[in-house]
């Protein structure tokens, strides 16, 4: 698989010395999401392991879910979470139920991505033990031409006092933001829509997704090279995304994600 390299300029990454907001704390992370989602102009693309359910003791989760509900109706939205973690019971609800309720009056649907695992693991293991067999945990949060890549999920602890790593990419980051938006789109297409009949899991579906990822790598790689030629003088580095998947997604046997 060809790995594209996206050229970055001094304006591509927010730093402490830059004029735009710098994400360095859980509060910064929460505020960026809460304030920017309702003001989005073109797209909101979210990939996360799970989202907090917004219980009475989690006001920051409720604010995030409220921001999802307030997204402009003409903005393209994609929300992808892990299938098993999203359906795990939290009291009398789940992450999937909470997000679906928040998206009810928007144009978006919640997509639940099931990592291919040996058949026995998902059939015989109860929740939450079934998550041990494999989960989707890409955390990429895109609003228009900005994106945060992080290890943080969308829950109260990550919004309040659990510090993680955050990289805020700006101005499209030489095509990197578009790549991740298209990757989330491909994952959404290979996912079940919460509340609708589930997508069957078979080798053909897995190979189709991997072909889509390969095409994304090739297409965006060519675009990135063209962009580099235009901004070569201002380029200070490159970003190369990598993807880790189970061997079963290539149509083979099982494997750890």
């Amino acid at each position: 698989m060809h790995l594209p390299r996206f050229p970055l300029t001094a304006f591509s990454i927010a730093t402490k010395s830059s004029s735009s907001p710098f994400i360095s704390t859980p509060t910064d992370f929460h505020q960026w999401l809460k304030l920017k989602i309702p003001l989005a102009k073109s797209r909101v693309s979210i990939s996360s392991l799970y989202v907090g359910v917004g219980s009475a003791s989690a006001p920051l989760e409720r604010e995030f879910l409220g921001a999802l509900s307030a997204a402009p109706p003409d903005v393209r939205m994609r929300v992808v979470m892990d299938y098993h973690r999203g359906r795990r019971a939290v009291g009398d609800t789940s992450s999937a139920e909470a997000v679906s309720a928040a998206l009810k009056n928007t144009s978006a649907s919640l997509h639940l991505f099931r990592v291919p695992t040996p058949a026995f693991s998902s059939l015989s293991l109860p929740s939450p033990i079934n998550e041990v067999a494999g989960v989707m945990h890409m955390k990429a949060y895109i609003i228009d031409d900005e994106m945060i890549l992080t290890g943080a999920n969308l829950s109260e602890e990550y919004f309040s006092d659990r510090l993680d790593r955050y990289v805020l990419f700006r101005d499209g980051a030489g095509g990197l933001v578009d790549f991740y938006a298209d990757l989330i789109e491909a994952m959404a297409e290979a996912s079940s829509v919460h509340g609708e009949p589930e997508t069957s899991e078979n080798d053909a579906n897995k190979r189709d997704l991997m072909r889509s990822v390969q095409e994304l790598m090739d297409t965006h790689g060519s675009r990135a090279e063209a962009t580099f030629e235009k901004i070569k003088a201002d380029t200070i580095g490159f970003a190369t995304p990598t993807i880790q998947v189970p061997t079963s997604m290539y149509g083979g046997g099982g494997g750890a994600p």
Side-chain angles (χ1 to χ4, degrees):
M1 180 178 291
H2 172 70
L3 298 178
R5 58 173 195 164
F6 295 93
L8 303 176
T9 70
F11 299 100
S12 298
I13 303 177
T15 63
K16 288 184 178 179
S17 61
S18 63
S19 59
S20 67
F22 175 66
I23 309 299
S24 62
T25 68
T27 298
D28 293 339
F29 176 53
H30 174 258
Q31 289 291 307
W32 185 85
L33 292 162
K34 183 183 82 168
L35 297 178
K36 282 187 171 287
I37 290 175
L39 299 176
K41 295 179 173 60
S42 60
R43 65 185 173 191
V44 175
S45 297
I46 291 174
S47 172
S48 190
L49 174 62
Y50 69 96
V51 177
V53 300
S55 62
S57 61
L60 300 181
E61 291 177 358
R62 293 200 304 274
E63 289 181 354
F64 171 74
L65 293 169
L68 288 182
S69 299
D74 57 339
V75 165
R76 183 171 183 80
M77 286 186 67
R78 283 289 180 269
V79 181
V80 179
M81 294 193 312
D82 179 70
Y83 177 88
H84 291 299
R85 182 64 180 84
R87 288 158 48 98
R88 184 203 293 185
V90 181
D92 60 355
T93 186
S94 68
S95 182
E97 292 293 336
V99 173
S100 290
L103 298 176
K104 183 177 180 180
N105 295 319
T106 73
S107 60
S109 298
L110 172 62
H111 301 263
L112 299 176
F113 186 87
R114 192 202 304 250
V115 173
T117 56
F120 73 87
S121 64
S122 58
L123 292 176
S124 60
L125 297 179
S127 176
I129 301 175
N130 54 7
E131 296 166 30
V132 174
V135 293
M136 188 288 295
H137 54 88
M138 181 176 78
K139 291 98 174 183
Y141 309 119
I142 298 171
I143 303 171
D144 297 330
D145 287 331
E146 293 189 350
M147 172 178 67
I148 292 178
L149 291 182
T150 177
N153 289 300
L154 302 169
S155 62
E156 195 75 11
E157 60 179 344
Y158 285 104
F159 290 153
S160 57
D161 56 16
R162 183 167 177 175
L163 184 66
D164 212 295
R165 303 139 293 166
Y166 320 92
V167 181
L168 173 56
F169 294 94
R170 307 179 300 170
D171 299 324
L176 183 68
V177 178
D178 286 341
F179 169 80
Y180 272 96
D182 285 348
L183 177 59
I184 292 173
E185 183 75 24
M187 293 174 63
E189 292 296 324
S191 301
S192 299
V193 176
H194 183 62
E196 296 183 4
E198 296 185 11
T199 302
S200 61
E201 195 176 292
N202 54 53
D203 285 349
N205 287 341
K206 300 168 196 172
R207 289 193 294 269
D208 285 346
L209 176 58
M210 293 314 299
R211 277 194 293 268
S212 295
V213 172
Q214 177 66 72
E215 291 171 2
L216 287 179
M217 291 282 191
D218 294 340
T219 300
H220 284 276
S222 298
R223 293 177 186 170
E225 291 300 322
T227 299
F228 174 57
E229 292 302 318
K230 296 178 182 178
I231 63 171
K232 184 182 296 185
D234 297 320
T235 298
I236 62 171
F238 296 89
T240 298
T242 59
I243 300 172
Q244 186 179 15
V245 300
T247 56
S248 58
M249 289 187 66
Y250 290 94

